[in-house]
């Protein structure tokens, strides 16, 4: 199976081509959140280098959040379009799980993405004998609250908010990795879903924000 995955949840846009359980090709570009102009040419460039077209792709996957609201919408819309136009299955993957999927070796993993100043999206995982197990749903906490949850065990931290979190909340039982969320992690998770009949229709891939959008907050303020 050939899976094309994209991640536009942060500053950097990336796409990954995953074939039968391994990455075949990838492209990464720091687009400074200008993903609407970047992601389609990036995917096309990657496929052309492999002598492929969108018709050759068997399934699509996107990071559905948490992360940049605009970036998430762009990525989800792109995968919806790819999948529905080609009548292909799709997968929506947690950005936090996509990062954790790339951390090698057994042990506890905390995936951390910065939400706002000293506020973080997080999820906890354990890798055992090569398999990744999730401890909790994706959530959002203040830094001091997240640090309290990490007490009492040894954790490896991943995600593009991990370094910021540890700089503000040092912990003796948390070690920083160099792993951040990317399309490669999205593809790895989508591949696992495909093995267990977990792919869905493109129309079923939806954003997961965890926090209210600016439009929602403005509407609530107006209604008050």
């Amino acid at each position: 199976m050939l899976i094309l995955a994209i991640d536009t949840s942060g500053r950097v846009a990336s796409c990954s081509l995953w074939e039968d359980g391994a990455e075949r090709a990838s492209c990464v570009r720091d687009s400074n959140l200008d993903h609407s102009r970047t992601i389609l040419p990036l995917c096309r460039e990657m496929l052309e280098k492999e002598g492929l077209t969108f018709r050759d792709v068997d399934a699509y996957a996107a990071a559905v959040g948490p992360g940049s609201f605009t970036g998430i919408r762009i990525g989800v819309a792109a995968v919806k379009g790819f999948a529905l136009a080609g009548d292909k299955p799709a997968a929506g993957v947690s950005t936090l799980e996509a990062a954790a999927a790339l951390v090698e070796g057994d042990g506890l993993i905390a995936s951390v993405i910065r939400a706002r100043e000293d506020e973080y999206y997080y999820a906890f995982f354990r890798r055992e004998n090569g398999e990744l197990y999730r401890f909790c749903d994706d959530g959002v906490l203040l830094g001091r609250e997240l640090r309290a949850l990490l007490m009492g065990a040894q954790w490896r931290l991943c995600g593009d908010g991990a370094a910021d979190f540890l700089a503000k909340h040092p912990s003796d039982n948390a070690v920083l990795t160099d792993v951040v969320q990317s399309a490669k992690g999205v593809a790895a998770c989508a591949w696992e879903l495909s093995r267990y009949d977990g792919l869905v229709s493109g129309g079923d891939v939806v954003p997961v924000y965890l926090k209210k959008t600016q439009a929602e907050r403005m509407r609530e303020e107006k209604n008050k």
Side-chain angles (χ1 to χ4, degrees), residues 123-157:
F124 299 149
F125 303 86
R126 182 182 81 255
R127 188 175 292 283
E128 185 175 324
N129 298 324
E131 295 291 329
L132 188 66
Y133 301 94
R134 176 184 279 272
F135 277 173
C136 63
D137 293 336
D138 294 354
V140 58
L141 286 173
L142 294 174
R144 66 177 183 275
E145 296 171 328
L146 179 56
R147 185 180 186 277
L149 289 183
L150 295 175
M151 300 295 288
Q154 293 297 315
W155 295 87
R156 289 173 295 164
L157 268 59

Side-chain angles (χ1 to χ4, degrees), residues 3 18 21 33-34 48 51 53-54 67 69 82 84 102 128 145 150 159-160 165 167 183 186 192 215-216 219:
I3 298 174
W18 201 267
L33 293 174
D34 193 13
E48 288 177 350
T53 70
F54 286 101
F69 289 0
F82 294 156
L84 293 174
L102 299 180
E128 185 175 324
E145 296 171 328
L150 295 175
D160 65 10
F165 166 73
V186 175
E192 288 299 315
E216 290 173 323
R219 184 170 61 247

Side-chain angles (χ1 to χ4, degrees), residues 42-56:
L42 201 63
C43 291
R44 186 180 291 117
E45 174 186 330
M46 179 181 67
L47 289 171
E48 288 177 350
K49 286 182 178 179
E50 294 298 310
L52 301 169
T53 70
F54 286 101
R55 290 190 297 272
D56 298 308

